Amino acid sequence: MADTRFDTTVSTTCGYCGVGCNLEAHTRAGRIVSISPGMGPANRGHTCLKGRFAHQFTRARDRLTAPLVRESGTFRIATWEEALDRVASELLRIKAQYGPDAIAGLASSRATNEECYAMQRVFRAAIGTHNIDNCSRVCHSPTSFALRKSLGLSGCTGSFDDIERAEVLLIVGANPTEAHPVAGARMKQAALRGLQLITADPRRIELADYGVLHLPVHPGTNAAFLNGLAHVLIRDGFVDEAFVAERTTGFETVAELVAAYTPDEVERITGVPAADLERAARLYGEADRASIAWGLGVTEQRYGSECVQLICNLALMTGKIGRPGCALLPLRGQNNVQGSSDVGALPDTFSQYRSVADEETARMYEELWGVSMKRERGLKMQEMFDAALDGRVKAMWICGYDIAQSDPDIEHVTAALSSLEFLVVQEIFENETSKFANVILPAASFLEKTGTFTNAERRIQLVRAAVAPPGAAKTDLEIFQLVSERLGHPLPYAGPEDVMAEIAATTPHFAGVTYERLEGRGLQWPVAPDGTDSPILYEERFEQPDGLGRFAALPYKAPGDEASEEYPLILVTGRRLEHYNVGTMTRRTGNLELLSKDWLEIHPEDARELGVETGDLVRVRSKHGEIAVEARVTERIDPGHVFTAFHFPEVRTNLLVGPSADVNTSCPEYKVIAVSVEKVGAPVEERVAAGVA
Amino acid sequence: MQVVVDGIEVEVAPGTTVLEAAKLVDRWVPTLCFDERMVPFGACRVCLVAVEGAPGPLPACTTTCRDGMRIATTDERSRRIASNVVELVLSELPGPPAEHTELAEVARRLGVGAPRWTGATHPVRHDERHPYLVLRHELCISCGRCVRACDEIQGAFALTATGRGFHSNVTAGLDAGFLQSTCVSCGACADTCPTDAISERLLVALEEAGGASDG
């Protein structure tokens, strides 16, 4: 029976984390009044407090509802006509004066596939530059890089369903019950029903309490830990010789390299007791079906991408890949981290990670779009900031990404933004980044638009508008179309479905994707022309020219930062359950009542030494900056380490993060920051008010 | 193996419950304590059906199919017992359940109107200490779905049944409230509740403001 409490109920996909929960959004009088979980394949009728309750932000009073243009230092409301003309004329002026490469864009992993694809087309075709990147640069770009190198495709090798199919699950550098709550709940439930969980993290995360083994790996030493596991797997005879011989290449060099990673040596580097390392390897090796999940605790490090390759080594040597229960499962941070990169919002690749230098692909797009393009890649995000500072980039267009709050080395970022001649920010709220804008364009949130998101298991799922955008706000796609037209390159789309049709027509892995086929369970790419999708990759061969999986012999190298006399503790950052990233959305909901501030977790031993007690205000200093935050003494964090989230602008945790980044992908090292902690007197609020923080 | 539901033959896998078999052939069986996301509980005795050869009605949710089983979902005696159970449940509530709730829907489909029995009803007591969740104790029918959802779907173990007999009820954190319990605010309890005893503040406010055709 229809529920008469609601005017409409719309089935859509959650716009918070990368789990991709199916939601039923219920409306009354044009507003969301409730959201309940749908029976989607990832969430199976469950959702967390973000997807379910944190929707009040859509009707927050300070939503951007009209375009704003800067005039003599302040913003005033403008018509769309005026704002769009200003954007187009400035971009055209800068392009004429300095060339198209003086313009750079950042797409959002919060936006839909269709919007990210449209934005990269605007940059490549309408503006004429490959200077387009997206926020997955700062989270899972190392995963994408490594999976492509080792296995061929940039995505989870299986599905969330492999959590229940596995006998053993190793979780490295992730805290799923807080950062990916519904996947975390599935892991916890599976553990309660017999799944053997192994957790490896400097924090004793909640799932550690439900596991068989917790390994407190020191931040920045994952490579030694993973090579140590490989050492024991080889030493104790867990190598699947037939699989290694038939399906892989490069095993010998890895065997040679890891010979030196004896459990004792690994204990010395990582802090993981030798016996526990051996037990973990045996649990993984003995199981017929074992999976590995990882998060940003692996990727956001100097050698993050190499560590993902080392994770692949473990699956390749034991043949635990390409079959049910044996998934390599990267836990994607944002709802569309997977998709924004899949569809080509990257400086070096078109959709499906095809290089901009690939002649065949480039020609196809040139013909379709009626333009000619360079064969050299554009600027990665951090390179854009460098280029802005040295005058090569004069204009930026930033869509749904608060870089001045969430990026590392914030002073560098804000200096770059200040040095631009023109900045367009396309957002749902004013934020730290929009303070530097010349034009702010009001955009629609995920509950106000139609399109698709791709979740962490490569599943492309439908997003449907439940309510209209507030005021004059428009969807990102509409905005790209309006600007592109003014730039002389009209985008031939009547709506998002037409964009997906173009993606499907030009991208082999999306060949069979249509909105009709996405109804219900969505589709996991690669999708064949007949609509058959791929829950499990690499059943027969790896996506390499010779079909073989590639071992990577990569040694442990010290992280970019380490504890010293001046900065004796290592800071790790991460998410809390109640909030999402910089909190733009969740801080405008009742979730703020559930959790209203950040705090610093510190081990009782360190706290005693520093004279710090729970509730004290402490100053945290790194080489790059300092913040003031409240301390909480807890045994959840290892001695020698401290932890805090980054959800509150009052604390600005990212001031502490320097320029150190992954060697292959420039993903920032948010997870290993040497700091000092000292007690200061006054309560946090007073200090913040005084501007000390 | 094969079973026959209301004269319709259906092929089922070993382990399939009678309730699942009935669903396969689109036959309705009333339920109150059942939720497909959780392990069948068999507590409410509303999903009774007749099985050929069985001495009396059997709960469809916890009875597994045997090859050749013949099931009658509209068996007169089963439906009479189920209707009486629902009527007794309704008689404990201070008023009729809201139209959209599962309890109201089951009562409607079973043809159970206002209960014939008068007597004690649960006293009105609301726990509104959480920013999103409301616990209206008088609407709780002790079906245990919220407790199981909290345990089996989320794994927060925040809800417990307390009290005995007529006074049994559900509480968060032994009545310390959701915020002081191990609750992670996922809302699985509200989602499964068949009476809206656990619901959302916003929805309750809408209802109190004279929400549409709600009962």
Side-chain angles (χ1 to χ4, degrees), chain A residues 200-341:
Chain A
D201 203 282
R203 293 170 79 208
R204 193 176 165 85
I205 58 170
E206 186 193 3
L207 283 176
D209 297 347
Y210 296 82
V212 292
L213 197 55
H214 176 68
L215 311 169
V217 183
H218 292 333
T221 67
N222 285 330
F225 164 65
L226 294 162
N227 279 336
L229 287 176
H231 174 98
V232 180
L233 287 169
I234 295 171
R235 187 195 71 187
D236 292 359
F238 291 113
V239 172
D240 183 337
E241 311 272 358
F243 188 91
V244 168
E246 285 160 29
R247 307 244 350 232
T248 70
T249 175
F251 175 69
E252 295 72 22
T253 49
V254 167
E256 249 168 67
L257 173 83
V258 303
Y261 290 80
T262 60
D264 288 334
E265 178 63 9
V266 171
E267 176 173 345
R268 193 184 60 77
I269 301 169
T270 65
V272 174
D276 285 349
L277 180 84
E278 293 185 331
R279 188 162 163 235
R282 280 190 210 122
L283 280 166
Y284 180 77
E286 274 167 10
D288 174 42
R289 298 181 310 280
S291 293
I292 307 177
W294 68 93
L296 305 183
V298 170
T299 59
E300 287 178 345
Q301 306 205 357
R302 188 165 181 80
Y303 301 100
S305 53
E306 296 192 354
C307 288
V308 178
Q309 289 177 274
L310 298 179
I311 287 174
C312 294
N313 284 353
L314 302 178
L316 287 173
M317 70 176 59
T318 55
K320 290 190 197 343
I321 190 164
R323 56 192 173 89
C326 298
L328 294 179
L329 181 56
L331 295 166
R332 299 302 183 111
Q334 295 180 314
N335 55 314
N336 204 28
V337 165
Q338 180 72 52
S340 57
S341 294

Side-chain angles (χ1 to χ4, degrees), chain A residues 578-579 586-597 648, chain B residues 132:
Chain A
E578 292 82 356
H579 289 283
T586 50
R587 281 186 289 105
R588 287 178 171 88
T589 70
N591 290 34
L592 191 63
E593 216 177 301
L594 294 169
L595 191 142
S596 59
K597 57 189 171 187
F648 291 86
Chain B
Y132 299 121

Side-chain angles (χ1 to χ4, degrees), chain B residues 119-191:
Chain B
T121 58
H122 296 294
V124 173
R125 186 161 74 90
H126 294 181
D127 182 346
E128 296 173 323
R129 290 171 286 184
H130 188 276
Y132 299 121
L133 296 166
V134 178
L135 179 40
R136 294 182 289 182
H137 289 283
E138 71 277 14
L139 299 177
C140 176
I141 60 168
S142 298
C143 65
R145 275 168 68 166
C146 55
V147 177
R148 288 178 288 130
C150 191
D151 297 354
E152 295 176 32
I153 297 176
Q154 174 58 44
F157 307 98
L159 296 167
T160 335
T162 54
R164 291 182 186 186
F166 182 78
H167 300 288
S168 72
N169 210 300
V170 159
T171 62
L174 289 173
D175 227 9
F178 288 105
L179 290 176
Q180 298 305 314
S181 73
T182 53
C183 172
V184 293
S185 305
C186 70
C189 51
D191 195 59

Side-chain angles (χ1 to χ4, degrees), chain A residues 50-51 124 144 152 159 175 240 273 300 410 423 452 465 537 581 628 635:
Chain A
K50 283 171 275 205
R124 295 196 154 106
S144 171
S159 306
N175 184 13
D240 183 337
E300 287 178 345
I410 287 176
L423 173 64
T452 58
L537 299 177
N581 289 4
E635 285 180 351

Side-chain angles (χ1 to χ4, degrees), chain A residues 1 3-6 28 32-37 39 44-49 52-56 59 181 185-186 188-189 192-193 206 210 577 589-591 593-594, chain B residues 36-37 39 99-100 105 108 129-133 150-157 179 184-188 190-191 196 200-203 206-207 210-214:
Chain A
M1 191 194 90
D3 195 327
T4 53
R5 292 173 300 170
F6 311 127
R28 177 98 168 257
I32 308 267
V33 289
S34 178
I35 289 179
S36 55
M39 288 299 285
R44 300 170 164 185
H46 188 36
T47 181
C48 78
L49 77 170
R52 187 184 170 93
F53 294 124
H55 51 78
Q56 289 139 293
R59 47 190 184 274
R186 283 181 69 168
K188 191 172 177 182
Q189 290 299 333
L192 290 167
R193 288 165 169 77
E206 186 193 3
Y210 296 82
L577 172 69
T589 70
N591 290 34
E593 216 177 301
L594 294 169
Chain B
E36 61 177 327
R37 294 167 289 191
V39 179
E99 286 289 327
H100 64 269
E105 165 88 359
R108 201 159 43 235
R129 290 171 286 184
H130 188 276
Y132 299 121
L133 296 166
C150 191
D151 297 354
E152 295 176 32
I153 297 176
Q154 174 58 44
F157 307 98
L179 290 176
V184 293
S185 305
C186 70
D191 195 59
D196 271 6
E200 298 176 38
R201 278 170 74 155
L202 192 57
L203 292 177
L206 269 184
E207 218 174 298
S213 59
D214 257 347

